[in-house]
Amino acid sequence: MRYFRRIVPFVLLTLTALAFAGCGGGGGGGAAPAATQTDTYRFFAGSLHAVDPANPANPLVVDSEAHADEATIVHGTIDAAAKTVTDLHARTVVYVKGGKLYKVSALKGATPAPVQLSSAADVQSIETVAPDLANHNNAQVVFRAVAVAPTPTPTPVPVEPVAIKQASLAAGDASGTSYKMVRVGMSATDTPIPAKEPLSALNDQTGAIIGWLAFEDNANVIKRYDANFQNGKDVIPYKNSVAFVDSTLEGIFMEVDGDLYGYHVATGELRRLTSTATGIYGNTVKDGDHLYVTDGGYNILKVPLGNPTSAETFVPTDGAWAMPFGFTDTKVVYYQGGKMLAKPKVGGEPVILSPAGWGFVGAKGTVVYFNSSKEGIPTAVAVRDDGTVLSETANAYWVGASVSNTYAPAVSSTPQYMVMATGYKTDGTGFGGGALQSFDAATNRLVATLGTIPADVRWIEVYGQIGVDVLGYAWDNNDDDVFFMNLKTPNSLVRMSNTPEVDEWPLPVLDYDWWRWS
């Protein structure tokens, strides 16, 4: 199976939060689908294809030549009054081929065709993409450029070691690697803009990119730059490490030398939220009011969104690892001591949801979804957050979900539809011959039986998808293939690819870390 390289943290910075202090947490973070939805193609790679949801049986070839580092740049509409992003959709796909960048419009109405993006001919890989919801042409792609290595100094001067960073190379270091930026609206003759190794994009209340937090070249300091990576101003020096933790529209959470800091975008104020220097680890969860994250002492911390001043301990360590997974209307779902638990956001005693802690897939409203094993049999489970079992389906797995194209403020992404594969067999054939089904995530109600999984498919999953027209990823003993499905329509499962010994995979619309967008 193909494992995906994650585009670094701020692929959906503008959309992850829209955080406003006191805006209120939400039941599950998703709203009803938008009244209007921009018509777009879905894409899969291997050789790059576009899929028209109205005609999924006939995917269009976009680029049959070898390429790499595909990424999706999204667009949507910010409703400032409602504090939501509506009509979220893929707008542009970018990729690397032969040292050059190419872009493809995802909008229907014209045959999708690649266009060279800037005059860059030294592209090594895409470092990140950042949407601009005020003007999609201003959305940015930061890439690593391969340059000629500088001539070594005859007598090197000892310097403090460069810190461990999210990317492996600092801009302009001795390897000859540098960073450059292009905007989606650039033509093939436009020159890329020199950039820095990015930590996070910064957006204003309209969704426009107004700047970046980035690593200074060969120096242990984080600086704030404008949208052109110019006019850098020091934010914080560091000794050993800096890592992105999470983000809202108002601010950035980062780990600096083991402590959690909050950076306020509008004021430029940086606040130290912990003082233990033990590190920040694992998944993060935002519920509209607070960020939940694990520190190096195995405690789950609770941090107010908006303009935080400190972090409090939400779940104290019991000597074992603790990690937040997701949230329901009133509780936070987390792992600790080998169990999956749900604790009221306002405090109180947790409820055990599962004696086996791993396997969480998603949560919505008051329902939590996870995979488990009952007497050695794989089982897809849905429970209320009070521990009441809603369903246990033997020989089945929750294999993914799709999210709504409209989001409430300041929340981690939550599912609108859950997807289950049934008929799992332990003889090596997996799900082959089983059924694929969709469920309403808020109610655990069956929506549709999407079709029969082909006999040669051992596993299938759905990830990083928006709305009802989605692509799934499947593999057998020889290759990886792509399927289309409409999550509201029975028997809509269509195989997009079936090329022996050739892998194809769907391009996620959202950066895939289950329901975390950061």
Side-chain angles (χ1 to χ4, degrees), residues 13-367:
L13 169 66
T14 307
L15 308 173
T16 52
L18 282 180
F20 296 84
C23 68
T36 60
Q37 174 68 53
T38 298
D39 253 353
T40 62
Y41 293 102
R42 286 22 173 198
F43 290 85
F44 66 88
S47 58
L48 189 62
H49 286 72
V51 179
D52 183 348
N55 186 20
N58 295 289
L60 304 172
V61 177
V62 177
D63 196 331
S64 61
E65 298 179 0
H67 60 277
D69 262 29
E70 310 89 357
T72 303
I73 307 176
V74 299
H75 196 61
T77 302
I78 287 184
D79 184 330
K83 301 181 177 67
T84 58
V85 178
T86 61
D87 190 22
L88 179 62
H89 60 275
R91 178 62 67 91
T92 300
V93 169
V94 293
Y95 63 96
V96 179
K97 184 177 73 170
K100 299 178 181 180
L101 275 174
Y102 290 86
K103 62 181 178 180
V104 182
S105 174
L107 297 177
K108 288 177 59 176
T111 301
V115 177
Q116 187 173 332
L117 179 55
S118 84
S119 61
D122 57 353
V123 182
Q124 181 184 42
S125 61
I126 294 174
E127 182 69 9
T128 192
V129 298
D132 186 308
L133 298 193
N135 183 346
H136 183 68
N137 282 333
N138 290 335
Q140 297 186 12
V141 181
V142 178
F143 65 89
R144 291 190 187 192
V146 180
V148 177
T151 303
T153 305
T155 306
V157 178
V159 296
E160 184 176 357
V162 175
I164 299 171
K165 302 176 181 178
Q166 289 177 312
S168 60
L169 300 171
D173 67 14
S175 70
T177 299
S178 62
Y179 293 85
K180 298 181 181 180
M181 180 270 287
V182 299
R183 292 187 173 87
V184 167
M186 284 183 171
S187 70
T189 59
D190 289 323
T191 303
I193 297 169
K196 306 289 183 179
E197 181 184 1
L199 180 71
S200 181
L202 306 174
N203 298 73
D204 66 15
Q205 299 286 320
T206 70
I209 297 173
I210 59 172
W212 292 84
L213 294 183
F215 295 92
E216 181 52 74
D217 298 350
N218 292 314
N220 285 29
V221 63
I222 296 296
K223 289 190 174 185
R224 176 172 178 161
Y225 296 89
D226 62 23
N228 292 315
F229 284 94
Q230 299 295 311
N231 303 312
K233 296 180 180 180
D234 288 0
V235 173
I236 186 171
Y238 58 93
K239 292 181 179 179
N240 298 305
S241 65
V242 176
F244 177 93
V245 174
D246 214 314
S247 63
T248 71
L249 194 63
E250 285 189 335
I252 309 298
F253 293 98
M254 66 181 99
E255 178 194 352
V256 181
D257 292 328
D259 276 322
L260 183 65
Y261 284 76
Y263 179 78
H264 196 268
V265 173
T267 65
E269 182 179 6
L270 182 71
R271 291 179 176 176
R272 187 177 181 177
L273 305 177
T274 64
S275 57
T276 58
T278 57
I280 301 297
Y281 298 96
N283 193 34
T284 60
V285 170
K286 298 186 295 285
D287 69 353
D289 289 319
H290 294 89
L291 169 78
Y292 300 86
V293 64
T294 301
D295 69 10
Y298 303 149
N299 306 285
I300 296 179
L301 305 179
K302 180 179 180 180
V303 186
L305 297 177
N307 196 12
T309 58
S310 63
E312 64 178 272
T313 299
F314 178 66
V315 177
T317 182
D318 62 358
W321 184 272
M323 182 187 296
F325 283 147
F327 64 93
T328 64
D329 287 349
T330 60
K331 296 180 180 179
V332 175
V333 181
Y334 65 99
Y335 165 88
Q336 187 177 42
K339 303 179 180 67
M340 188 184 301
L341 304 105
K343 179 177 178 175
K345 297 176 186 178
V346 297
E349 291 300 312
V351 174
I352 296 176
L353 303 180
S354 173
W358 298 107
F360 175 84
V361 180
K364 176 78 170 181
T366 62
V367 186

Side-chain angles (χ1 to χ4, degrees), residues 348-425:
E349 291 300 312
V351 174
I352 296 176
L353 303 180
S354 173
W358 298 107
F360 175 84
V361 180
K364 176 78 170 181
T366 62
V367 186
V368 180
Y369 298 88
F370 61 90
N371 294 315
S372 186
S373 177
K374 301 287 185 179
E375 299 179 352
I377 298 174
T379 304
V381 183
V383 299
R384 295 282 184 200
D385 58 8
D386 63 2
T388 302
V389 176
L390 296 177
S391 65
E392 293 181 329
T393 306
N395 298 306
Y397 281 97
W398 298 110
V399 293
S402 174
V403 302
S404 170
N405 66 343
T406 298
Y407 291 92
V411 295
S412 301
S413 176
T414 55
Q416 180 184 18
Y417 296 99
M418 299 296 301
V419 182
M420 178 194 288
T422 67
Y424 184 82
K425 298 175 288 298

Side-chain angles (χ1 to χ4, degrees), residues 42 53-54 402 465-471 484-487 489:
R42 286 22 173 198
S402 174
Q465 302 289 308
I466 293 174
V468 297
D469 294 315
V470 302
L471 299 184
F484 170 87
M485 64 203 81
N486 179 294
L487 297 178
T489 304

Side-chain angles (χ1 to χ4, degrees), residues 444-467:
N444 191 39
R445 177 183 60 84
L446 176 66
V447 175
T449 296
L450 305 172
T452 300
I453 301 169
D456 64 318
V457 171
R458 291 187 298 148
W459 183 267
I460 188 168
E461 61 186 42
V462 176
Y463 55 85
Q465 302 289 308
I466 293 174

